[in-house]
């Protein structure tokens, strides 16, 4: 019986799992009108030269971010997202399996009116996923895809969620 319990515990540890976290903040939040009435018609990506990313990263980033934005930015006002990525870290799969690993992305997201070029909002975007074990190693191996999706989720959460305004009594 003890052997079965120990085996189960070791198996659970070997399989492991992941935890996602974010620490994104508004530098200059968009207005509620922009948040509720906009749709992103273009995504411009600028990345630091020292990022260790694949040659497909830019197209993957645009596609994954667009997949998120299509569900949250559904209005008629056309806006442009300019994303700048200055830090992207990928976990080592072997270390993730044995100990733990973390993928992380940091950058900025600026929202511009697509017609006038007016800056409507700016956000510091930061997201990470930490995990251990076999499942985490497999998930974290898709770092560029998952981090791009996380970036898009954070832009949705920060820029295209209408903030409730408290009414004075």
């Amino acid at each position: 019986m003890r052997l079965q319990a120990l085996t189960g515990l070791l198996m659970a540890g070997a399989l492991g799992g992941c935890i996602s976290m974010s620490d994104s903040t508004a530098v200059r939040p968009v207005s509620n009108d922009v948040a509720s009435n906009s749709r992103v018609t273009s995504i411009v990506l600028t990345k630091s030269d020292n990022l260790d990313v694949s040659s497909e990263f830019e197209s993957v980033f645009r596609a994954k971010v667009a997949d998120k934005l299509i569900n949250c930015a559904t209005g008629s006002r056309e806006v442009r997202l300019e994303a700048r990525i200055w830090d992207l870290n990928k976990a080592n799969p072997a270390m993730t399996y044995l100990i733990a690993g973390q993928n992380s992305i940091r950058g900025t997201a600026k929202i511009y009116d697509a017609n006038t070029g007016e800056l409507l909002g700016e956000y510091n975007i930061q997201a990470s996923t930490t995990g251990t074990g076999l499942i985490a190693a497999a998930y974290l191996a898709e770092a560029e895809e998952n981090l791009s999706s996380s970036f898009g989720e954070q832009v949705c959460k920060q820029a295209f969620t209408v903030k409730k305004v408290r009414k004075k009594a």
Side-chain angles (χ1 to χ4, degrees):
M1 187 70 156
R2 284 186 176 168
L3 182 59
Q4 288 175 330
L6 181 59
T7 302
L9 185 59
L10 289 173
M11 290 287 288
L15 291 176
C18 294
I19 297 173
S20 294
M21 298 177 292
S22 64
D23 189 24
S24 300
T25 58
V27 174
R28 177 183 174 186
V30 298
S31 68
N32 276 344
D33 180 57
V34 171
S36 62
N37 296 316
S38 297
R39 66 185 166 89
V40 177
T41 56
S42 68
I43 299 170
V44 177
L45 174 64
T46 305
K47 57 184 177 52
S48 294
D49 293 334
N50 62 342
L51 292 184
D52 179 22
V53 293
S54 70
S55 60
E56 295 85 28
F57 176 68
E58 289 188 36
S59 61
V60 166
F61 181 87
R62 284 189 188 95
K64 294 294 185 177
V65 170
D67 284 348
K68 296 299 179 182
L69 295 175
I70 200 164
N71 294 312
C72 68
T74 59
S76 59
R77 182 179 187 171
E78 295 181 354
V79 297
R80 177 179 73 248
L81 168 64
E82 290 191 9
R84 182 172 187 280
I85 307 301
W86 67 75
D87 187 32
L88 189 144
N89 292 304
K90 301 177 195 178
N92 176 317
M95 292 301 291
T96 300
Y97 178 72
L98 294 172
I99 301 171
Q102 180 179 49
N103 288 341
S104 63
I105 190 168
R106 293 186 330 163
T108 57
K110 293 183 179 181
I111 311 295
Y112 291 91
D113 183 287
N115 297 312
T116 67
E118 175 189 2
L119 176 63
L120 303 171
E122 180 177 356
Y123 302 88
N124 288 326
I125 304 294
Q126 186 170 332
S128 63
T129 303
T130 303
T132 186
L134 183 61
I135 293 172
Y139 181 80
L140 295 177
E142 298 289 323
E144 292 179 8
E145 294 83 354
N146 295 328
L147 290 172
S148 296
S149 288
S150 293
F151 193 96
E153 287 172 10
Q154 288 303 302
V155 172
C156 280
K157 196 177 290 184
Q158 293 293 319
F160 299 108
T161 301
V162 176
K163 310 298 186 263
K164 292 183 181 180
V165 178
R166 289 186 179 180
K167 295 181 181 178
K168 294 181 182 179

